[in-house]
Amino acid sequence: MTRPTFQIDGKPVTFTEGQTIMEAATAAGVYIPHLCHNPEFEPHGSCKLCTVKVNGRNCSACTFPAADGQEVLNDTAELNELRRTITQMLFVEGNHLCPSCEKSGNCQLQAAAYFLGMTDAHFPFFYPRRELDASHPDILLDRDRCIFCALCVRASRDVDGKNVFAIGGRGIDSRLIVNSPSGRLADTPIAATDKATRVCPVGAILIKRHGFEVPIGERVYDRHTIAEESLEREEP
Ligand code: SF4
Ligand code: SF4
């Protein structure tokens, strides 16, 4: 029996019923930029970096179901310009100062910026005032770098069973909330071995006393583009 197929940038992609465009494309070796998507978790569809055109309409590839005969556009100048703008906005909505960040070289936001050819932030920085939480003996939470991907929220709830994190507020007032009476990480059951502490795509959740164990220049995205690394990590 012929398997259902859609076209992505003119390339045929076969898929299994129930797969999203992101899942089918990744399985076929086609990279669609993304930040809040992680194949280990339910899709969230919030960062919009994976916006593709499906039969002429903008859709989030991580949530939109694949269907037979779809015409999908992914790697186009228009879509990459949109993604570059989204990435620039993520930089200015937080406090992203890469040269002083322990995550530099291992950071998906930074790597996506390189991949998309972002050369400056373009917009004025918002410099939001966000609280740093160093209360936990093993974990540092630097909210300045949070991009609200909700991966820690999903990991803590669905894998660790601890429900430590939530996202509150809207727009520039969005905040990562720690679910404890004091609002501090030290007063939650989170541990450094939890999935929630390992899944952050940026430098917002860091394990203490491990900084710069891997030298700059030898980190994941110093050696591979985010497209190469992502396809290697996520292909079934
Ligand atoms: Fe740069 Fe990523 Fe650190 Fe932000 S989290 S400062 S983008 S390396
Ligand atoms: Fe995502 Fe990290 Fe922010 Fe959690 S702390 S929402 S994993 S960026």
Side-chain angles (χ1 to χ4, degrees), residues 105-173:
N106 283 334
C107 171
Q108 292 180 26
L109 176 62
Q110 184 190 55
Y114 277 126
F115 180 81
L116 294 165
M118 181 183 134
T119 52
D120 64 12
H122 181 71
F123 304 105
F125 275 82
F126 284 49
Y127 298 119
R129 296 181 68 84
R130 297 187 188 154
E131 198 182 336
L132 186 141
D133 185 341
S135 63
H136 194 283
D138 300 320
I139 303 159
L140 176 72
L141 172 59
D142 188 341
R143 290 183 173 88
D144 279 340
R145 302 175 187 142
C146 179
I147 58 169
F148 308 106
C149 68
L151 278 165
C152 61
V153 177
R154 288 175 275 170
S156 184
R157 183 191 61 210
D158 303 339
V159 179
D160 305 328
K162 295 182 180 177
N163 216 15
V164 167
F165 297 108
I167 292 173
R170 294 171 72 88
I172 195 64
D173 294 323

Side-chain angles (χ1 to χ4, degrees), residues 204-217:
I205 300 178
L206 296 171
I207 307 297
K208 290 182 177 177
R209 297 179 298 281
H210 289 270
F212 298 97
E213 271 181 351
V214 179
I216 301 279

Side-chain angles (χ1 to χ4, degrees), residues 68-128:
D68 197 36
Q70 276 168 337
E71 295 285 343
V72 180
L73 294 179
N74 169 43
D75 188 13
T76 69
E78 180 194 343
L79 287 166
N80 286 331
E81 178 64 37
L82 172 70
R83 292 164 179 155
R84 209 160 29 245
T85 302
I86 292 169
T87 307
Q88 287 167 322
M89 289 168 78
L90 287 171
F91 266 79
V92 302
E93 286 171 2
N95 293 307
H96 294 277
L97 304 164
C98 298
S100 60
C101 178
E102 203 289 319
K103 195 80 172 187
S104 186
N106 283 334
C107 171
Q108 292 180 26
L109 176 62
Q110 184 190 55
Y114 277 126
F115 180 81
L116 294 165
M118 181 183 134
T119 52
D120 64 12
H122 181 71
F123 304 105
F125 275 82
F126 284 49
Y127 298 119

